[in-house]
Amino acid sequence: MAFNRALGTLAPQVPGFSDPVAYHLLPERLQRRVENARASLLSGSRQSPYPFWQLPMGLFNQFRTVILDRALSAAGPPEQLVTLGAGLDSRAWRLDGLKDTVVFEIDYPSTQAWKRQRAAAVPFKAKDVRFVAMDFQRDQLGPLILNAGFDARKTTFWLWEGVTMYLRPDEVSANLGAFAALSAPGSRIALTYLRRNNGRIPRSLFLALLGEPVRSAFEPAEMTALAKSRSWRLISDTSIDDWVKEAPDLKLPGRRIGLQRLESIWVGQA
């Protein structure tokens, strides 16, 4: 995903997209590929930074980044931002609106070790960045994040991008409850989830071979009802079909995006 964002930053096609930090988080071999794409664009030998097979997913990721950035901005500057399953997310390093926000990054220790090494030379724009190691399927968030200085009396924005589909529905529900229990009034959440495909959980052989099978999917009304049962009130629920209306000149047929054609962004408030 960071590679896609780094390539997209060379020639953004989605209005409002830019992620200059993503490049710095990549291993050297992928940085070289970004530089090769940059040189090809400058020479005129190619029109897009993406290989043809990567273009649909690259554009999808540009849209997803913009929509989530917008949801965060619409909430007003939160006192705390919790990025769940943070991976190589770059918001704490690139968003000026987080200058008064303490960012808590939640992820596996191995992923965090890589990120901390790669990001060490990049000044963050947030007030502070704190790394909290956690396994969503085994660990309890509360004790871990409170030990890192999280304050449940302060307004919080919970960002849960690209995680829920790897969890069972009961695990999604339990985590939503845990976030709500730690949220002051006015706190918000933005999460991505997969919609059901003809009433079924979609399958991905590629992800299954990677050891990360898809474990959950929800109808939009089902996602809203689940969140409501955990004290989250719906603000918006959108998908690629909604996002592309902002850039009608882009041709992005859903069938070319792959599994992500079924992905939605749900935003709610405590």
Side-chain angles (χ1 to χ4, degrees), residues 84-191:
L84 302 146
L88 299 184
D89 183 273
S90 63
R91 289 179 173 89
W93 287 263
R94 66 177 173 81
L95 293 182
D96 293 326
L98 297 179
K99 63 182 180 64
D100 296 319
T101 301
V102 177
V103 177
F104 296 85
E105 295 225 336
I106 317 296
D107 212 338
Y108 292 105
S110 57
T111 304
Q112 290 185 336
W114 168 268
K115 185 174 186 177
R116 295 178 79 161
Q117 177 187 21
R118 301 302 297 179
V122 184
F124 52 77
K125 294 188 175 183
K127 182 178 181 180
D128 194 13
V129 180
R130 301 175 188 178
F131 294 89
V132 181
M134 177 181 171
D135 183 332
F136 283 95
Q137 293 176 307
R138 295 182 175 87
D139 298 331
Q140 296 295 316
L141 175 64
L144 294 173
I145 198 169
L146 290 170
N147 189 55
F150 179 88
D151 189 339
R153 298 167 298 180
K154 295 181 177 180
T155 56
T156 300
F157 193 100
W158 303 86
L159 181 61
W160 209 12
E161 180 180 4
V163 177
T164 64
M165 68 182 188
Y166 301 115
L167 304 178
R168 299 189 308 269
D170 62 307
E171 293 169 336
V172 175
S173 177
N175 277 288
L176 284 171
F179 308 154
L182 292 165
S183 294
S187 294
R188 293 194 180 189
I189 187 170
L191 62 87

Side-chain angles (χ1 to χ4, degrees), residues 21-268:
V21 177
Y23 172 85
H24 300 283
L25 304 179
L26 299 174
E28 284 78 5
R29 63 182 180 82
L30 291 182
Q31 288 183 338
R32 287 194 294 271
R33 290 176 62 180
V34 174
E35 291 301 334
N36 289 339
R38 188 194 310 274
S40 296
L41 287 171
L42 290 173
S43 69
S45 62
R46 60 193 290 185
Q47 301 302 311
S48 171
Y50 301 110
F52 76 93
W53 55 268
Q54 195 175 349
L55 176 61
M57 180 56 70
L59 292 178
F60 175 86
N61 284 331
Q62 287 187 34
F63 273 116
R64 188 169 80 174
T65 298
V66 168
I67 298 302
L68 289 172
D69 283 357
R70 187 181 300 166
L72 177 55
S73 177
E79 295 175 278
Q80 299 173 138
L81 168 63
V82 181
T83 307
L84 302 146
L88 299 184
D89 183 273
S90 63
R91 289 179 173 89
W93 287 263
R94 66 177 173 81
L95 293 182
D96 293 326
L98 297 179
K99 63 182 180 64
D100 296 319
T101 301
V102 177
V103 177
F104 296 85
E105 295 225 336
I106 317 296
D107 212 338
Y108 292 105
S110 57
T111 304
Q112 290 185 336
W114 168 268
K115 185 174 186 177
R116 295 178 79 161
Q117 177 187 21
R118 301 302 297 179
V122 184
F124 52 77
K125 294 188 175 183
K127 182 178 181 180
D128 194 13
V129 180
R130 301 175 188 178
F131 294 89
V132 181
M134 177 181 171
D135 183 332
F136 283 95
Q137 293 176 307
R138 295 182 175 87
D139 298 331
Q140 296 295 316
L141 175 64
L144 294 173
I145 198 169
L146 290 170
N147 189 55
F150 179 88
D151 189 339
R153 298 167 298 180
K154 295 181 177 180
T155 56
T156 300
F157 193 100
W158 303 86
L159 181 61
W160 209 12
E161 180 180 4
V163 177
T164 64
M165 68 182 188
Y166 301 115
L167 304 178
R168 299 189 308 269
D170 62 307
E171 293 169 336
V172 175
S173 177
N175 277 288
L176 284 171
F179 308 154
L182 292 165
S183 294
S187 294
R188 293 194 180 189
I189 187 170
L191 62 87
T192 64
Y193 73 94
L194 285 185
R195 302 186 306 281
R196 291 184 177 273
N197 187 18
N198 296 321
R200 298 182 178 181
I201 296 176
R203 303 299 179 190
S204 169
L205 178 60
F206 174 72
L207 291 175
L209 291 174
L210 288 178
E212 296 183 330
V214 176
R215 293 186 172 94
S216 72
F218 305 89
E219 298 293 350
E222 187 180 10
M223 184 72 247
T224 295
L226 175 61
K228 183 178 180 181
S229 73
R230 292 300 192 170
S231 303
W232 294 103
R233 174 179 57 83
L234 173 68
I235 293 176
S236 65
D237 188 351
T238 59
S239 69
I240 188 66
D241 292 334
D242 303 297
W243 312 337
V244 295
K245 295 175 183 177
E246 300 184 18
D249 294 336
L250 285 180
K251 305 301 181 183
L252 194 59
R255 65 182 181 278
R256 293 186 59 197
I257 305 173
L259 187 68
Q260 266 60 45
R261 74 188 186 281
L262 297 171
E263 188 171 294
S264 291
I265 292 178
W266 194 96
V267 180

